[in-house]
Amino acid sequence: EVQLVQSGAEVKKPGESLKISCKGSGYSFNNFWIGWVRQMPGKGPEWMGIMYPGDSNSRYSPSFQGQVTISADKSISTAYLQWDSLKASDTAMYYCGRQKGYSYPIDYWGQGTPVTVSS
Amino acid sequence: SYVLTQPPSVSVAPGKTANITCGGNKIGSKSVHWHQQKPGQAPVLVIYYDNDRPSGIPERISGSNSGDTATLTISRVEAGDEADYYCQVWDSGSDHWVFGGGTKLTVL
């Protein structure tokens, strides 16, 4: 069974750094892309970027380029989304998802990681 | 960048048919995917490549895409279909994914 299990809820202060994770199981992690999606409270999803764990090829939405970093450790089948300096506007739910190819849709979603940034 | 437009809400009585639209410039030339999101849950892919269903998705959920409008159709609507539905396309022009704003389906 394909599963993507994300790390737990985070509460941070503005300016702090954060790295959240997404662990894949039940499939060949290195051979599928992992995408990240932001969903702000009461809003629709926004695509942030994507990475291919097999060769670390990554691409970002222009809205998120330079704001976050997507990475992966294929030895433990885990993808990451990180911020160097959080802002209050980063408060949202963050989802990872598996994609068969760069232009294929997410076919399996993680359960989501809620991030709250507040002073 | 490419914009997808969905009606904020659609209401339908149980047993009837719900049609949820997703508008975009020449969207018929793109592949449209649909995700269902129930309150407090992660999204679930229900239609991909306009009208294909992942395993486990009932046949009464279908999709179509032509011209400037893609449509998600849910036949014989049940209370369990109440959710937000999002359309999604790959915009090759800007080389990234785009989501619609979402439609809340209410079962009366």
Side-chain angles (χ1 to χ4, degrees), chain B residues 9 14 25 28 30 46-47 53 69-70 75 79-80 85 96 107:
Chain B
S9 63
N25 185 36
K30 302 180 183 298
V46 294
I47 290 288
R53 278 183 305 277
T69 304
S75 305
Y85 292 84
H96 67 260
V107 181

Side-chain angles (χ1 to χ4, degrees), chain A residues 2-119:
Chain A
V2 174
Q3 282 193 312
L4 293 170
V5 178
Q6 298 185 229
S7 49
E10 300 278 359
V11 179
K12 292 288 189 178
K13 290 182 166 48
E16 292 186 333
S17 62
L18 175 64
K19 192 173 189 178
I20 63 175
S21 65
C22 168
K23 183 174 177 60
S25 63
Y27 72 100
S28 179
F29 183 78
N30 291 354
N31 295 333
F32 287 80
W33 295 74
I34 292 286
W36 286 94
V37 172
R38 181 177 80 175
Q39 189 169 31
M40 301 180 80
K43 301 295 185 183
E46 301 170 86
W47 181 74
M48 301 176 72
I50 193 169
M51 161 167 279
Y52 188 71
D55 62 6
S56 297
N57 182 12
S58 62
R59 305 186 195 188
Y60 295 85
S61 163
S63 299
F64 293 93
Q65 179 82 47
Q67 308 304 308
V68 296
T69 302
I70 296 171
S71 61
D73 184 341
K74 56 187 181 182
S75 69
I76 55 172
S77 301
T78 301
Y80 302 97
L81 178 67
Q82 72 178 82
W83 295 258
D84 291 335
S85 181
L86 286 161
K87 302 185 277 287
S89 57
D90 292 318
T91 295
M93 180 72 82
Y94 293 88
Y95 293 100
C96 65
R98 187 189 83 158
Q99 297 181 224
K100 182 179 177 181
Y102 182 52
S103 58
Y104 283 67
I106 289 176
D107 57 0
Y108 287 91
W109 293 76
Q111 84 277 18
T113 295
V115 173
T116 302
V117 184
S118 175
S119 54

